[in-house]
């Protein structure tokens, strides 16, 4: 048996092309006295559906189909053919690469230049922070925040890490005047994005 995609092939797709369909052809040969009776294949140990067969019951047979791949990585296709005497196998490996733009991150609140008013002797003014990170493929890996260059990541728990959209929220209180900067950074498997927003108390 021989299988294609060719051994050590590299397939590159954009994020929008995923899941990818990898064409596979399996060729098997035997003798006319012991013809090919069946052909099977698996992808990383899981069975593969063949779309068409030709030549079963003869000395030369083939099967073709498509492998559906949802994530980048290294894959292995094992092809086997059988006749009355026994079986033969071939293993081909191929790699799938995915190209995607880096993530994006947006500060939903406070909007740039927002002014909060604190009245002396009154309750502290509450400043709500909300930010959203988006990944085009593979999922958001990290979402961190700094206020006035001080890391405040330990003050919130991001929701949605590992998915295409993650969010974070913080609520802080202020009793003194000043201008402050919120900076948010996110990462995924394809890059890093940072944005900031200024607000004044």
């Amino acid at each position: 048996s021989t299988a294609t995609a060719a051994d050590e092939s590299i397939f590159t797709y954009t994020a929008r092309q995923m899941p990818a369909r990898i064409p596979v052809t399996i060729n098997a040969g035997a003798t006319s006295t012991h013809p090919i009776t069946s052909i099977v294949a698996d992808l990383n140990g899981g069975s593969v559906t063949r779309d068409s067969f030709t030549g079963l019951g003869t000395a030369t047979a083939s099967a073709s189909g498509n492998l559906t791949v949802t994530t980048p990585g290294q894959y292995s296709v094992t092809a086997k053919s059988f006749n009355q005497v026994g079986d033969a196998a071939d293993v081909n490996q191929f790699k799938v690469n995915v190209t995607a733009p880096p993530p994006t991150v947006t500060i939903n609140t406070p909007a740039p230049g927002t002014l909060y008013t604190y009245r002396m002797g009154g309750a502290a003014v509450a400043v709500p922070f909300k930010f959203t990170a988006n990944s085009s493929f593979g999922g958001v890996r990290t979402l961190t925040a700094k206020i006035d260059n001080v890391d405040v990541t330990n003050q919130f728990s991001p929701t949605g890490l590992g998915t295409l959209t993650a969010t974070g929220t913080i609520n802080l209180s202020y009793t003194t005047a000043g201008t402050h900067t919120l900076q948010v950074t996110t990462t995924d498997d394809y890059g890093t994005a940072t944005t900031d927003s200024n607000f004044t108390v």
Side-chain angles (χ1 to χ4, degrees):
S1 296
T2 60
T4 59
D7 199 25
E8 304 301 330
S9 293
I10 298 176
F11 298 91
T12 300
Y13 299 92
T14 65
R16 291 186 177 184
Q17 292 175 306
M18 299 298 284
R21 288 169 61 83
I22 310 293
V24 173
T25 300
I26 303 165
N27 298 308
T31 64
S32 58
T33 55
H34 299 289
I36 301 297
T37 56
S38 65
I39 297 173
V40 298
D42 70 62
L43 176 66
N44 286 7
S47 62
V48 173
T49 300
R50 281 81 60 211
D51 296 332
S52 64
F53 293 90
T54 59
L56 290 181
T58 71
T60 303
S62 66
S64 63
N66 289 281
L67 307 175
T68 300
V69 176
T70 60
T71 58
Q74 190 78 27
Y75 292 87
S76 178
V77 179
T78 301
K80 288 185 178 181
S81 60
F82 299 83
N83 65 8
Q84 294 177 338
V85 178
D87 62 80
D90 183 39
V91 179
N92 281 7
Q93 293 186 333
F94 65 91
K95 185 177 182 180
V96 174
N97 293 327
V98 175
T99 61
T104 61
V105 64
T106 302
I107 296 175
N108 308 106
T109 57
T114 300
L115 177 65
Y116 297 89
T117 300
Y118 167 68
R119 296 188 181 278
M120 293 292 293
V125 61
V127 178
F129 303 93
K130 182 178 181 181
F131 31 91
T132 303
N134 291 285
S135 171
S136 62
F137 187 77
V140 177
R141 299 303 175 199
T142 64
L143 183 59
T144 60
K146 293 181 179 181
I147 296 177
D148 300 334
N149 211 35
V150 176
D151 194 336
V152 292
T153 304
N154 62 353
Q155 298 190 42
F156 71 97
S157 297
T159 59
L161 291 182
T163 70
L164 296 183
T165 301
T167 60
T169 58
I170 311 173
N171 288 285
L172 297 180
S173 298
Y174 291 87
T175 58
T176 59
T179 297
H180 306 276
T181 300
L182 168 66
Q183 183 182 76
V184 180
T185 300
T186 188
T187 64
D188 69 4
D189 293 339
Y190 302 93
T192 301
T194 299
T195 191
D196 57 50
S197 180
N198 296 319
F199 64 95
T200 300
V201 177

